[in-house]
Amino acid sequence: EVIAQLNLPLEAMREEGGDNTKVVARVIAINNVIGKQLADFIARETQHAIADGVNMIIYDIDSPSGDKLHAQQVATQIAELDPAKVTTVAWIRKEATQAGTLVAVSCDRIFLADDATIGNIDLKAMRLNNGHRLQPVEELNADDQQKLLTLITSIANRKNRSASLLQAMADATKPVFEVTQKESGRVAWMNDMELAAQPDEWVKGAAIPEARGGSLLVLDAKRAHELGIAESPCHDLEQLRTRLGISETTDLRPVAKTWVDNLVTTLNSRWGGFLLVTVGIIFIYLELHMPAGLYLIGAITSFSLFFWSRFLGGSAGGLELTLFILGMILLGVEFFVIPGFGVFGVTGILMTVVSLVMASNTFSGMSATEGFEQSMNSLGSLAAALMVVIAVAVAMNRFLPSIPFINRLILTPPGYVQNHGEGLMLDPALQSQPGSTGPMSVGMVGITVSSLRPTGKAMFGDKYVDVVSDGAYIDHATKIEVIRLAGNRIIVRSVDGTNAV
């Protein structure tokens, strides 16, 4: 009201820094789509700045879009900061659109570069899936739109800006008119709803040209200043430094993301997730064929990094991790406890796949078609990972036994011999001969030549065969007995649980 009565610019009401009021500034860059990772970074660095005694935070904004929920979260956090303790400044070098605009108008002061623009809070386009932009929806959700308008109005009132102008940036159905107060002649900007609340106080004029034609309001630097949204334009950061009273010795380089932030961003990419899943499965394959514990640690590390990055990225939570752990437990039970492959194995595979697909996507706000498409993309990545694992397994089985030095680390399976440097082959002496044992039958007794987990190899007479334990782990060099024949599977159990001598 004082500003209006004296016809002063907004800057005239700002307290200038003097000898006793030193400006301690810090710059935080917002130069990407605003998703969960960037929102967490902004909140974290804002709190760090306040804890370090900073009394002015400059948000260097060049953001084209973002997720509506996280953008509103950031805007609310900035708007609620106490201006008596810290002044928030939006510095727009080029463009603040959608989520970037919402964050900018939540600051105490707004400065635009000469050729910068601000506006167009298009809720239909503020959609992300794990950091990747989705296509705009055709229809707005009425509840989401009302929540956005309520937040914008609250921010406008808190920051002493025209609520009608900010609403026009988010709602094209609310044109804004230049109005004049009858008694004082003061000029303001209001929409029809705001005018209807006080019809005898204002004289309605023409609609501002930027809000015509049914498009969302977008303003350049000069026009934003004329309408009271921003202060007069700045040529560059050095002029902004002078306008804000910041010492020349103050470093205004934006706070950079840490290596952890960059790592999370990399791991959340499509290729990052693909590599983590592929490496994890390869390590599991190696552990099953060459039990050493080291490969198991590698697999746990790979999948832990996958879910950790997805958790920080906002697409995974406790449910996805629980499903994955239960799926792996069921697969372990199927491989090491129950012979064959049945309900436990199928359920374990389904739970593991579902957990990985859910962790790779943020389905909130998606249509059924979009959710299906994103799920198919994730399944395609998993299928590609399995194909890579199969190719790696074939290559390892074919070439590792022939590589010098490395082949010394690989134990030659029972019944196999080196084939002149070309890999392994079945010992000809053990192939079917007239003197070898005949068909297998229930009750035959043999000896294990490898551990049964539950599958492995055993010798009956002079014949090596693949067998399956009846559920329990059986060590090598253990006497066993055939208890059941199921198709090509020979199911055995240990004889009195004693090891062979």
Side-chain angles (χ1 to χ4, degrees):
E1 292 177 357
V2 173
I3 291 175
Q5 292 296 329
L6 300 178
N7 195 26
L8 296 173
L10 287 175
E11 296 95 309
M13 295 301 293
R14 305 293 182 188
E15 182 179 355
E16 296 293 339
D19 296 336
N20 298 326
T21 309
K22 181 180 179 181
V23 177
V24 182
R26 182 170 297 178
V27 181
I28 299 176
I30 305 177
N31 53 10
N32 207 332
V33 293
I34 301 177
K36 185 178 187 303
Q37 295 176 47
L38 185 54
D40 290 344
F41 170 77
I42 296 169
R44 183 169 60 251
E45 292 304 326
T46 298
Q47 294 303 317
H48 287 170
I50 295 174
D52 293 340
V54 171
N55 57 21
M56 178 177 288
I57 301 177
I58 302 173
Y59 295 98
D60 189 341
I61 302 174
D62 184 13
S63 177
S65 183
D67 178 77
K68 59 180 181 294
L69 296 179
H70 295 114
Q72 292 178 34
Q73 174 188 345
V74 173
T76 301
Q77 292 171 346
I78 295 176
E80 292 179 348
L81 294 176
D82 187 356
K85 296 181 179 179
V86 58
T87 300
T88 54
V89 178
W91 165 233
I92 303 173
R93 298 174 182 266
K94 182 179 180 181
E95 175 188 37
T97 306
Q98 298 172 14
T101 298
L102 188 58
V103 172
V105 298
S106 67
C107 295
D108 299 322
R109 307 177 69 176
I110 302 176
F111 294 87
L112 279 74
D114 293 328
D115 57 350
T117 59
I118 183 173
N120 185 20
I121 310 177
D122 187 2
L123 193 64
K124 293 186 294 185
M126 293 170 60
R127 307 171 67 238
L128 297 181
N129 174 37
N130 198 25
H132 305 288
R133 298 174 66 175
L134 297 174
Q135 291 296 323
V137 296
E138 296 182 359
E139 297 293 334
L140 282 174
N141 183 293
D143 291 337
D144 289 343
Q145 179 72 354
Q146 186 57 48
K147 290 178 182 178
L148 176 62
L149 292 176
T150 300
L151 174 62
I152 288 176
T153 303
S154 173
I155 290 175
N157 294 333
R158 184 187 292 266
K159 302 302 177 182
N160 194 30
R161 297 190 178 99
S162 170
S164 296
L165 287 172
L166 298 189
Q167 289 174 3
M169 294 180 178
D171 189 348
T173 65
K174 295 183 177 182
V176 181
F177 303 89
E178 182 177 305
V179 298
T180 306
Q181 194 174 37
K182 292 180 179 179
E183 295 183 359
S184 65
R186 181 166 67 92
V187 176
W189 296 269
M190 298 181 182
N191 56 33
D192 287 328
M193 184 178 296
E194 196 172 0
L195 274 171
Q198 39 190 343
D200 299 329
E201 186 177 350
W202 300 91
V203 178
K204 183 178 179 180
I208 62 174
E210 294 85 358
R212 296 173 183 171
S215 58
L216 297 176
L217 181 62
V218 178
L219 302 172
D220 59 23
K222 180 180 178 181
R223 191 59 172 152
H225 173 55
E226 293 174 350
L227 298 179
I229 297 298
E231 301 183 26
S232 56
C234 286
H235 301 305
D236 51 30
L237 187 60
E238 289 306 312
Q239 186 180 15
L240 178 65
R241 179 198 296 270
T242 303
R243 294 271 298 277
L244 294 175
I246 301 174
S247 170
E248 294 183 358
T249 60
T250 301
D251 186 3
L252 293 184
R253 287 179 298 180
V255 176
K257 289 184 178 181
T258 65
W259 68 270
V260 176
D261 298 308
N262 295 328
L263 176 63
V264 171
T265 301
T266 301
L267 296 182
N268 263 286
S269 65
R270 180 167 298 178
W271 281 107
F274 170 78
L275 289 176
L276 287 175
V277 172
T278 302
V279 171
I281 298 176
I282 289 176
F283 276 136
I284 292 176
Y285 171 82
L286 291 174
E287 182 65 28
L288 291 175
H289 287 75
M290 294 181 287
L294 181 63
Y295 304 117
L296 179 61
I297 294 175
I300 293 175
T301 301
S302 296
F303 285 112
S304 296
L305 287 173
F306 177 86
F307 283 98
W308 171 70
S309 62
R310 264 53 185 179
F311 175 80
L312 294 181
S315 59
L319 175 61
E320 290 80 5
L321 182 59
T322 301
L323 286 176
F324 180 79
I325 293 175
L326 288 177
M328 298 304 294
I329 291 175
L330 291 177
L331 286 174
V333 171
E334 185 71 30
F335 277 111
F336 300 114
V337 178
I338 301 176
F341 196 82
V343 176
F344 283 91
V346 173
T347 305
I349 291 175
L350 290 177
M351 293 180 73
T352 302
V353 171
V354 168
S355 68
L356 294 175
V357 171
M358 291 175 62
S360 300
N361 298 281
T362 305
F363 294 104
S364 176
M366 288 189 192
S367 64
T369 302
E370 289 175 330
F372 177 77
E373 291 177 353
Q374 295 299 324
S375 298
M376 290 300 100
N377 289 337
S378 298
L379 285 175
S381 297
L382 290 178
L386 288 176
M387 295 299 294
V388 171
V389 172
I390 292 174
V392 170
V394 171
M396 291 175 59
N397 290 337
R398 173 65 180 86
F399 296 108
L400 283 184
S402 304
I403 299 176
F405 179 73
I406 294 181
N407 57 10
R408 299 180 184 179
L409 304 177
I410 304 174
L411 295 178
T412 301
Y416 286 80
V417 295
Q418 293 290 342
N419 185 23
H420 304 293
E422 298 182 0
L424 302 176
M425 63 174 292
L426 185 64
D427 189 343
L430 297 177
Q431 297 179 7
S432 296
Q433 305 176 29
S436 62
T437 57
M440 302 299 298
S441 61
V442 176
M444 292 185 65
V445 176
I447 183 172
T448 61
V449 293
S450 70
S451 300
L452 305 187
R453 306 168 177 255
T455 61
K457 288 189 175 293
M459 175 180 284
F460 291 86
D462 58 354
K463 185 177 183 180
Y464 285 89
V465 295
D466 294 317
V467 296
V468 181
S469 76
D470 63 343
Y473 168 86
I474 301 178
D475 199 2
H476 70 283
T478 300
K479 289 183 179 179
I480 55 173
E481 175 187 9
V482 177
I483 61 173
R484 189 167 71 256
L485 300 175
N488 293 328
R489 292 194 303 163
I490 303 172
I491 303 171
V492 300
R493 67 183 176 190
S494 63
V495 177
D496 298 329
T498 57
N499 289 342
V501 180

